[in-house]
């Protein structure tokens, strides 16, 4: 059964926009050595492929560093993969000290994780209340979400990006295939719903999705064209390359509106943000 719903999906992203500012807190920014930025926390996996770390000092957070290059060691000092961490492990987390303010917090600047106590799964049961607060099953009727990660002279930033129109096919609980079409206005007319990426110099931006897309295309518009989406101005294609397993736009400058189109096996979606010169 094919279902079509026309919605201004940008208005539906109001919850996400609260995190767009990507305010930074904790641990006073970058320091000279990782050892000066150590967090002791418990590892708590949940759902399918999700996890949090819980620290008495800063609460719940997720590690958003590249799991393939992140150095992880077990209690015996042997290297293991991130996925080999076990529920209830007590770990020391080393990084640059810059965490994006969201709930749960996000820590992209982690360099290594060391298990200091094996613990047991039952040890993590005390945090079930936190899990119930932050975890919800992904909505199969909507495409994956997107965020942008980048490094400034002060800290690592993680900014959630609003989603615009999309086309998506999914299976409902009865096993029936459904097609959803959600329309939106042109990205240049999103106004305050465009996430701000504040840059003082050309910076590499990492495009991170909850599910890696098969294809990604980026188009940029001069920010002077804001509000002129109905005039259908021509944009300039921006290069998105894969680097160390990540989708990267290199040397991005302030003063542009970006429209990102991601394609998955089940459909496609558009996302938008603006780069602002500091």
């Amino acid at each position: 059964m094919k279902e079509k719903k026309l919605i201004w999906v940008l208005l539906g992203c109001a919850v996400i926009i609260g995190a767009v500012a990507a305010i930074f807190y904790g641990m006073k920014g970058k320091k000279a050595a990782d050892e000066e930025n150590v967090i002791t926390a418990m590892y708590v996996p949940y759902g399918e492929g999700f996890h949090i770390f819980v620290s008495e000092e800063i609460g719940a957070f997720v590690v958003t560093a590249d799991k393939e290059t992140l150095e992880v060691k077990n209690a015996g000092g042997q290297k293991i993969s991130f996925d080999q961490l076990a529920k209830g492990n007590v770990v020391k987390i080393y990084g640059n000290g810059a965490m994006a303010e969201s709930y749960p917090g996000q820590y992209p600047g982690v360099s290594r994780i060391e298990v200091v106590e094996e613990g047991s799964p039952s040890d993590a049961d005390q945090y079930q209340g936190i899990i119930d607060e932050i975890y919800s099953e992904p909505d199969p009727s909507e495409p994956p979400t997107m965020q942008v990660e980048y490094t400034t002279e002060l800290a690592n930033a993680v900014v959630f990006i609003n989603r615009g129109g999309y086309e998506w096919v999914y299976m409902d609980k009865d096993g029936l295939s459904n097609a959803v079409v959600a329309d939106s206005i042109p990205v240049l007319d999103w106004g305050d719903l465009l996430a701000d990426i504040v840059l003082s110099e050309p910076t590499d931006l990492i495009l991170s999705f909850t599910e890696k897309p098969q294809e990604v295309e980026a188009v940029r518009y001069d920010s002077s064209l804001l509000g002129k989406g109905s005039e259908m101005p021509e944009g300039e294609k921006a290069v998105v390359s894969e680097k160390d397993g990540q989708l990267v736009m290199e040397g991005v400058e302030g003063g542009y509106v970006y429209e990102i189109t991601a394609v998955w096996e089940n459909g496609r979606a558009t996302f938008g943000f603006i780069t602002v010169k500091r």
Side-chain angles (χ1 to χ4, degrees), residues 34 65 69-72 94-96 109-113:
D34 285 345
T69 59
L70 182 63
E71 181 180 340
V72 184
Y94 298 81
N96 63 9
V110 174
S111 58
R112 73 182 190 276
I113 297 175

Side-chain angles (χ1 to χ4, degrees), residues 40-131:
T40 300
M42 181 171 288
Y43 175 68
V44 188
Y46 61 97
E48 184 176 350
F50 296 90
H51 66 273
I52 63 170
F53 293 88
V54 183
S55 163
E56 292 184 1
E57 290 78 16
I58 61 176
F61 62 96
V62 296
V63 170
T64 55
D66 186 352
K67 306 303 187 301
E68 295 183 1
T69 59
L70 182 63
E71 181 180 340
V72 184
K73 293 183 178 181
N74 63 19
Q78 289 82 32
K79 287 187 178 181
I80 60 175
S81 69
F82 187 90
D83 293 336
Q84 289 178 289
L85 289 172
K87 183 178 181 180
N89 282 170
V90 177
V91 301
K92 286 190 179 294
I93 299 174
Y94 298 81
N96 63 9
M99 191 176 297
E101 184 175 296
S102 59
Y103 188 73
Q106 297 186 63
Y107 195 178
V110 174
S111 58
R112 73 182 190 276
I113 297 175
E114 297 177 355
V115 178
V116 294
E117 186 179 327
E118 292 288 352
S120 68
S122 61
D123 295 336
D125 291 344
Q126 61 185 306
Y127 300 119
Q128 187 59 47
I130 295 176
I131 297 299

Side-chain angles (χ1 to χ4, degrees), residues 121-168:
S122 61
D123 295 336
D125 291 344
Q126 61 185 306
Y127 300 119
Q128 187 59 47
I130 295 176
I131 297 299
D132 293 341
E133 284 183 12
I134 66 175
Y135 177 68
S136 60
E137 292 288 342
D139 187 344
S141 68
E142 296 185 355
T145 58
M146 172 188 167
Q147 64 188 28
V148 170
E149 303 171 14
Y150 62 104
T151 301
T152 70
E153 66 274 16
L154 298 176
N156 285 2
V158 179
V159 179
F160 291 94
I161 306 301
N162 278 330
R163 183 173 57 213
Y166 61 88
E167 301 172 4
W168 196 248

Side-chain angles (χ1 to χ4, degrees), residues 197-203 220 223 251-256 258 274-278:
I197 307 292
V198 181
L199 305 173
S200 58
E201 60 183 0
T203 303
R220 74 177 189 177
S223 58
V252 174
E253 299 178 320
Y256 293 94
Y258 282 85
I274 182 171
T275 58
V276 180
K277 294 179 181 178
R278 176 178 294 168

Side-chain angles (χ1 to χ4, degrees), residues 115-251:
V115 178
V116 294
E117 186 179 327
E118 292 288 352
S120 68
S122 61
D123 295 336
D125 291 344
Q126 61 185 306
Y127 300 119
Q128 187 59 47
I130 295 176
I131 297 299
D132 293 341
E133 284 183 12
I134 66 175
Y135 177 68
S136 60
E137 292 288 342
D139 187 344
S141 68
E142 296 185 355
T145 58
M146 172 188 167
Q147 64 188 28
V148 170
E149 303 171 14
Y150 62 104
T151 301
T152 70
E153 66 274 16
L154 298 176
N156 285 2
V158 179
V159 179
F160 291 94
I161 306 301
N162 278 330
R163 183 173 57 213
Y166 61 88
E167 301 172 4
W168 196 248
V169 177
Y170 70 100
M171 300 291 289
D172 64 20
K173 60 182 180 180
D174 297 320
L176 298 176
S177 177
N178 290 266
V180 181
V181 177
D183 294 341
S184 73
I185 59 178
V187 68
L188 289 171
D189 294 333
W190 287 17
D192 291 340
L193 292 176
L194 282 172
D196 289 347
I197 307 292
V198 181
L199 305 173
S200 58
E201 60 183 0
T203 303
D204 292 351
L205 303 185
I206 298 173
L207 310 184
S208 179
F209 299 85
T210 50
E211 179 185 335
K212 190 173 182 179
Q214 297 172 333
E215 300 176 26
V216 176
E217 292 184 353
V219 176
R220 74 177 189 177
Y221 303 86
D222 191 278
S223 58
S224 63
L225 296 173
L226 277 171
K228 299 179 179 179
S230 60
E231 299 176 13
M232 302 297 292
E234 185 176 352
E236 175 187 2
K237 186 175 181 179
V239 176
V240 180
S241 57
E242 187 161 348
K243 190 176 182 181
D244 297 327
Q246 298 177 314
L247 297 170
V248 181
M249 293 197 303
E250 299 184 83

